[in-house]
mmCIF file of all heavy atoms in Angstrom:
data_model
loop_
_atom_site.group_PDB
_atom_site.id
_atom_site.type_symbol
_atom_site.label_atom_id
_atom_site.label_comp_id
_atom_site.label_asym_id
_atom_site.label_seq_id
_atom_site.Cartn_x
_atom_site.Cartn_y
_atom_site.Cartn_z
ATOM 1 N N ILE A 186 112.431 135.933 117.354
ATOM 2 C CA ILE A 186 110.964 136.008 117.223
ATOM 3 C C ILE A 186 110.629 136.705 115.911
ATOM 4 O O ILE A 186 111.081 137.814 115.633
ATOM 5 C CB ILE A 186 110.320 136.723 118.429
ATOM 6 C CG1 ILE A 186 110.497 135.866 119.695
ATOM 7 C CG2 ILE A 186 108.833 136.978 118.180
ATOM 8 C CD1 ILE A 186 109.911 136.431 120.971
ATOM 9 N N VAL A 187 109.845 136.022 115.085
ATOM 10 C CA VAL A 187 109.551 136.494 113.731
ATOM 11 C C VAL A 187 108.295 137.357 113.717
ATOM 12 O O VAL A 187 108.235 138.378 113.035
ATOM 13 C CB VAL A 187 109.324 135.267 112.802
ATOM 14 C CG1 VAL A 187 108.859 135.684 111.434
ATOM 15 C CG2 VAL A 187 110.565 134.391 112.746
ATOM 16 N N ALA A 188 107.261 136.933 114.454
ATOM 17 C CA ALA A 188 105.991 137.666 114.405
ATOM 18 C C ALA A 188 105.128 137.290 115.593
ATOM 19 O O ALA A 188 105.199 136.164 116.081
ATOM 20 C CB ALA A 188 105.248 137.314 113.119
ATOM 21 N N ASN A 189 104.307 138.245 116.015
ATOM 22 C CA ASN A 189 103.265 137.938 116.990
ATOM 23 C C ASN A 189 101.983 137.662 116.221
ATOM 24 O O ASN A 189 101.706 138.322 115.217
ATOM 25 C CB ASN A 189 103.062 139.117 117.938
ATOM 26 C CG ASN A 189 104.246 139.282 118.861
ATOM 27 O OD1 ASN A 189 104.894 138.308 119.242
ATOM 28 N ND2 ASN A 189 104.556 140.518 119.210
ATOM 29 N N VAL A 190 101.214 136.679 116.687
ATOM 30 C CA VAL A 190 100.022 136.268 115.949
ATOM 31 C C VAL A 190 98.817 136.259 116.904
ATOM 32 O O VAL A 190 98.832 135.538 117.903
ATOM 33 C CB VAL A 190 100.235 134.859 115.328
ATOM 34 C CG1 VAL A 190 99.018 134.442 114.521
ATOM 35 C CG2 VAL A 190 101.496 134.839 114.455
ATOM 36 N N PRO A 191 97.784 137.049 116.584
ATOM 37 C CA PRO A 191 96.630 137.115 117.490
ATOM 38 C C PRO A 191 95.704 135.904 117.357
ATOM 39 O O PRO A 191 95.738 135.204 116.333
ATOM 40 C CB PRO A 191 95.912 138.391 117.042
ATOM 41 C CG PRO A 191 96.321 138.586 115.625
ATOM 42 C CD PRO A 191 97.680 137.972 115.454
ATOM 43 N N PRO A 192 94.843 135.655 118.369
ATOM 44 C CA PRO A 192 93.973 134.471 118.357
ATOM 45 C C PRO A 192 93.050 134.368 117.143
ATOM 46 O O PRO A 192 92.692 133.271 116.729
ATOM 47 C CB PRO A 192 93.153 134.627 119.654
ATOM 48 C CG PRO A 192 94.017 135.439 120.544
ATOM 49 C CD PRO A 192 94.771 136.377 119.654
ATOM 50 N N ASN A 193 92.665 135.511 116.535
ATOM 51 C CA ASN A 193 91.707 135.417 115.424
ATOM 52 C C ASN A 193 92.302 134.843 114.131
ATOM 53 O O ASN A 193 91.609 134.712 113.130
ATOM 54 C CB ASN A 193 91.034 136.775 115.150
ATOM 55 C CG ASN A 193 92.028 137.835 114.734
ATOM 56 O OD1 ASN A 193 93.229 137.561 114.607
ATOM 57 N ND2 ASN A 193 91.561 139.044 114.529
ATOM 58 N N CYS A 194 93.578 134.489 114.146
ATOM 59 C CA CYS A 194 94.185 133.837 112.970
ATOM 60 C C CYS A 194 94.010 132.320 113.021
ATOM 61 O O CYS A 194 94.546 131.603 112.159
ATOM 62 C CB CYS A 194 95.671 134.172 112.871
ATOM 63 S SG CYS A 194 95.947 135.921 112.629
ATOM 64 N N PHE A 195 93.315 131.827 114.056
ATOM 65 C CA PHE A 195 93.164 130.369 114.230
ATOM 66 C C PHE A 195 91.684 129.999 114.350
ATOM 67 O O PHE A 195 90.862 130.809 114.775
ATOM 68 C CB PHE A 195 93.838 129.921 115.533
ATOM 69 C CG PHE A 195 95.298 130.230 115.643
ATOM 70 C CD1 PHE A 195 95.732 131.466 116.115
ATOM 71 C CD2 PHE A 195 96.249 129.288 115.294
ATOM 72 C CE1 PHE A 195 97.077 131.754 116.248
ATOM 73 C CE2 PHE A 195 97.604 129.564 115.425
ATOM 74 C CZ PHE A 195 98.016 130.796 115.896
ATOM 75 N N MET A 196 91.424 128.718 114.064
ATOM 76 C CA MET A 196 90.093 128.163 114.294
ATOM 77 C C MET A 196 90.258 126.832 115.025
ATOM 78 O O MET A 196 90.949 125.969 114.477
ATOM 79 C CB MET A 196 89.404 127.935 112.955
ATOM 80 C CG MET A 196 87.969 127.441 113.105
ATOM 81 S SD MET A 196 87.275 127.089 111.504
ATOM 82 C CE MET A 196 87.064 128.711 110.827
ATOM 83 N N PRO A 197 89.649 126.628 116.203
ATOM 84 C CA PRO A 197 89.044 127.662 117.040
ATOM 85 C C PRO A 197 90.121 128.602 117.592
ATOM 86 O O PRO A 197 91.304 128.277 117.541
ATOM 87 C CB PRO A 197 88.404 126.831 118.166
ATOM 88 C CG PRO A 197 89.202 125.571 118.228
ATOM 89 C CD PRO A 197 89.677 125.307 116.846
ATOM 90 N N ARG A 198 89.660 129.733 118.139
ATOM 91 C CA ARG A 198 90.631 130.715 118.670
ATOM 92 C C ARG A 198 91.244 130.221 119.975
ATOM 93 O O ARG A 198 90.488 129.844 120.877
ATOM 94 C CB ARG A 198 89.922 132.035 118.963
ATOM 95 C CG ARG A 198 89.440 132.721 117.731
ATOM 96 C CD ARG A 198 88.748 134.007 118.112
ATOM 97 N NE ARG A 198 88.186 134.595 116.902
ATOM 98 C CZ ARG A 198 87.843 135.869 116.788
ATOM 99 N NH1 ARG A 198 87.984 136.675 117.819
ATOM 100 N NH2 ARG A 198 87.358 136.321 115.666
#
Side-chain angles (χ1 to χ4, degrees):
I186 293 180
V187 173
N189 290 328
V190 182
N193 62 2
C194 297
F195 302 86
M196 184 184 289
R198 293 180 185 199

